[in-house]
Amino acid sequence: MRAIVRRRLRRFLGAGVPGAERFVNREARRHAGVDDATRRMLVGFVVPLWIGAGLADWWLHRRSGIERTAGTRESVIHAVMLTEAGFPVVLGLFCQVDAGVLAWALLGLCAHQATAFWDVAYAEERRRVTTTEQHVHSLLETVPLMAVLSLTALHWDQALALFGRGPARPDFRLRPKARPLSGRARAGVLASVALCVAVPYAEELWRCARVDPSLASRPRPPLPATPTLRIGNA
């Protein structure tokens, strides 16, 4: 990455500019530092925040008695959202981020937002969706956006190329990362996702299916599940 930045800056400045080489080296170091800091933020903050919010959301579903209220249908919706958000995470961990990976990330983000709207529209008429859970939902919707924006900034040339802009050509090949994360970092992320996201939501689905395995929409309760719905029915 640093070598690429140096080449681009040298072409831009041209030969014979006083202090050009020092400037090129300084900017290359700064660019590499921004790249490393963004990667550390993604792995050390954004992904753990998403995992923590997902675990909190599972606990709130359990506390609201999802298996007796919204049921298996909502739990399956949660599994769909986890897939939509998790697949781009796995791609970003192991594959070089190019136009193809960015396209998958954008597609997953849009699908996740649409499914989240469907989830809440179904759930709030059948179980109590508390203020705390709504704030957790806000995190679960915002964190994937943070991740996609960070990847877009890191790979701006391919982001432009994806939409037919800029000098670079879009690359849609799936290939290993040129600068892979450490084995410890990748193992830590995958283990955390498995233990703190996949296992709890599998338990939720199992718990709901034991009560009623049907994916049919549960009937609305006689009384609205939340006080705000009573206002609309007044």
Side-chain angles (χ1 to χ4, degrees):
M1 179 63 71
R2 192 177 298 184
I4 295 173
V5 174
R6 283 199 182 99
R7 286 198 300 271
R8 290 176 178 173
L9 286 171
R10 287 194 183 102
R11 282 200 303 269
F12 176 74
L13 290 172
V17 177
E21 192 62 29
R22 285 198 306 275
F23 175 77
V24 166
N25 289 333
R26 185 171 66 248
E27 285 300 297
R29 288 193 299 270
R30 186 186 68 81
H31 190 280
V34 170
D35 184 81
D36 289 339
T38 307
R39 285 159 61 99
R40 286 195 296 270
M41 182 187 71
L42 280 169
V43 176
F45 177 72
V46 175
V47 172
L49 182 61
W50 175 68
I51 292 172
L55 189 60
D57 201 37
W58 164 82
W59 180 77
L60 290 165
H61 299 161
R62 184 182 180 90
R63 192 176 71 170
S64 71
I66 184 174
E67 66 273 16
R68 300 184 305 275
T69 52
T72 305
R73 184 183 181 92
E74 189 190 359
S75 188
V76 169
I77 295 174
H78 296 157
V80 171
M81 286 193 290
L82 287 174
T83 304
E84 291 164 346
F87 182 61
V89 171
V90 173
L91 280 181
L93 275 176
F94 294 101
C95 299
Q96 180 66 21
V97 178
D98 53 22
V101 172
L102 288 174
W104 275 112
L106 289 169
L107 181 63
L109 176 66
C110 294
H112 183 270
Q113 296 297 99
T115 309
F117 183 86
W118 175 31
D119 173 42
V120 175
Y122 175 77
E124 69 175 1
E125 293 184 341
R126 291 162 176 85
R127 65 179 179 87
R128 180 168 175 77
V129 182
T130 64
T131 304
T132 301
E133 185 174 342
Q134 293 284 16
H135 279 280
V136 170
H137 289 170
S138 297
L139 271 179
L140 287 170
E141 293 177 29
T142 304
V143 171
L145 177 62
M146 293 167 57
V148 171
L149 289 177
S150 297
L151 288 177
T152 301
L154 277 177
H155 304 277
W156 185 242
D157 56 340
Q158 284 296 298
L160 289 176
L162 179 62
F163 297 98
R165 305 292 298 274
R169 298 184 63 180
D171 192 344
F172 295 96
R173 295 173 296 167
L174 282 179
R175 59 193 192 281
K177 295 181 78 68
R179 294 178 59 224
L181 298 172
S182 69
R184 180 180 296 180
R186 285 177 290 178
V189 171
L190 290 177
S192 299
V193 170
L195 292 175
C196 299
V197 179
V199 170
Y201 281 91
E203 184 274 339
E204 175 185 284
L205 183 58
W206 173 79
R207 184 162 25 92
C208 291
R210 282 185 65 195
V211 174
D212 180 9
S214 172
L215 295 180
S217 177
R218 287 282 185 87
R220 295 179 178 87
L223 292 176
T226 60
T228 52
L229 293 174
R230 296 192 185 99
I231 296 173
N233 293 339

